[in-house]
Amino acid sequence: DNDPDVDAVLRMTQNLPMQFASEDDRAVVVPRGVFSPYNAQATLIMKRAFWGALLPITVHGRVSDIWRGLSAQRLGWDIGISLAFLPPVVDQFRNAHNYLADMDSEADLYFKGE
């Protein structure tokens, strides 16, 4: 909640603070075949899927956790692992960012991801 780690486009088009809490505090499981980006902040990775915590170093650090997450989701399907989102457990207060520079760093996600 507050100022979460979201992509630059969302950050430039939505008002802060953002609140993800809802009346229904159950987990949301992402169905097999559906990709959903997630990052490395406030993320719990089970031991069985710990190989999916490795971050690629061949892409910009701003997006390495997103590429990692998409790859881990796909590989997880083959071994019966699902991605789930739970209600937020932290309130984030970010340092100042140049959102246009962030968007430039994220360009490959927007234009090369299929």
Side-chain angles (χ1 to χ4, degrees):
D1 281 342
N2 193 52
D3 193 1
D5 187 12
V6 295
D7 70 304
V9 172
L10 185 69
R11 190 173 300 287
M12 291 188 292
T13 59
Q14 302 298 312
N15 294 323
L16 293 175
M18 293 181 189
Q19 301 299 320
F20 292 98
S22 71
E23 294 177 16
D24 186 359
D25 288 338
R26 290 181 291 178
V28 175
V29 178
V30 179
R32 180 184 171 102
V34 175
F35 285 102
S36 183
Y38 67 96
N39 64 25
Q41 298 181 19
T43 300
L44 174 66
I45 299 175
M46 298 177 71
K47 183 178 180 180
R48 182 171 172 219
F50 201 66
W51 50 265
L54 297 171
L55 292 168
I57 60 171
T58 57
V59 296
H60 194 283
R62 176 127 181 97
V63 296
S64 65
D65 54 353
I66 303 300
W67 286 118
R68 178 275 320 266
L70 296 173
S71 298
Q73 275 181 270
R74 175 58 190 92
L75 293 170
W77 299 337
D78 290 342
I79 60 171
I81 293 176
S82 297
L83 172 66
F85 290 95
L86 295 136
V89 295
V90 297
D91 287 325
Q92 180 163 313
F93 298 90
R94 297 178 64 80
N95 297 326
H97 274 250
N98 178 332
Y99 298 146
L100 290 175
D102 288 349
M103 188 174 73
D104 186 55
S105 300
E106 298 166 357
D108 281 351
L109 282 174
Y110 305 135
F111 301 112
K112 293 183 180 177
E114 291 184 24

